């Protein structure tokens, strides 16, 4: 059984994960329209992952005899000035989600809710991975610069990250 405060913040987290999924989907669509195939694939995959994060919380709340509330979805930004802007937005968004997870964790610990504390450990690790990945992409963008063919090279770099992720996922599936 979840206490009222933990339930309230878990429900807030559903909204955050859902909004992250929608934002990534909007970014994927924008990238696809720009011919940035590597970036589009990256954001489509991220969008699916965020939806999965949201679903995990919905199932967890209901399993714990709470009521998972499906939130109103904010309309994500549709247009971006540059690929640099887009990844900077993503980084800030991920940092906000991490802060929300930490806050939720502090609440569950204060309430001696060991089950939720354990459940949230997965999200802590996931956020660390996501933030590190976005920082790597931002570093690559900085190195490549904004010269003539920079978009092409940035897209290639992101495509390499997609391939690496795919390999890691396969490896995890085999374990
Ligand atoms: Fe849900 O992992 Fe990012 O936001």
């Amino acid at each position: 059984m979840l206490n009222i405060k933990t339930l309230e913040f878990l429900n807030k987290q559903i909204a955050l994960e859902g909004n992250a999924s929608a934002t990534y989907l909007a970014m994927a669509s924008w990238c696809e329209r720009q011919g940035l195939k590597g970036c589009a694939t990256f954001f489509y995959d991220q969008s699916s992952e965020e939806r999965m994060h949201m679903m995990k919380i919905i199932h967890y709340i209901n399993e714990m005899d709470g009521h998972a509330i499906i939130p109103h979805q904010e309309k994500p930004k549709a247009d971006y000035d540059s690929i640099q802007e887009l990844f900077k937005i993503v980084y800030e968004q991920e940092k906000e989600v991490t802060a929300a997870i930490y806050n939720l964790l502090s609440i569950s610990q204060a309430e001696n809710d060991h089950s939720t504390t354990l459940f949230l450990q997965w999200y802590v690790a996931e956020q660390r991975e996501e933030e590190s990945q976005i920082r790597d992409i931002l570093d690559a963008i900085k190195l490549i610069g904004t010269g003539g063919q920079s978009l092409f090279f940035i897209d290639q770099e992101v495509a390499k990250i997609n391939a690496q992720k795919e390999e890691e996922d396969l490896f995890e599936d085999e374990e």
Side-chain angles (χ1 to χ4, degrees), residues 7 12 15 29-30 35 42 61 79 123 150 152-153 164 168:
L7 177 60
K12 282 188 180 167
S29 173
W30 183 83
F42 178 84
I61 291 177
D79 287 303
Y123 286 84
S150 60
F152 174 80
F153 290 116
Q164 203 179 311
E168 284 166 8

Side-chain angles (χ1 to χ4, degrees), residues 17 20 24 46 50 53 93-94 97 123 126-127 130:
E17 304 289 344
Y24 282 135
Q46 281 300 120
E50 296 297 350
H53 299 171
Q93 177 176 285
E94 287 304 336
V97 173
Y123 286 84
E126 186 70 13
Q127 284 306 122
E130 285 184 348

Side-chain angles (χ1 to χ4, degrees), residues 21-48 77-78 80 83 86 90:
S21 176
T23 301
Y24 282 135
L25 198 53
M27 288 174 168
S29 173
W30 183 83
C31 288
E32 198 166 43
R33 292 276 300 141
Q34 308 291 317
L36 296 163
K37 286 195 177 140
C39 292
T41 301
F42 178 84
F43 286 118
Y44 280 127
D45 288 352
Q46 281 300 120
S47 174
S48 304
K77 184 170 150 71
Y80 301 90
I83 197 75
L86 196 142
V90 164

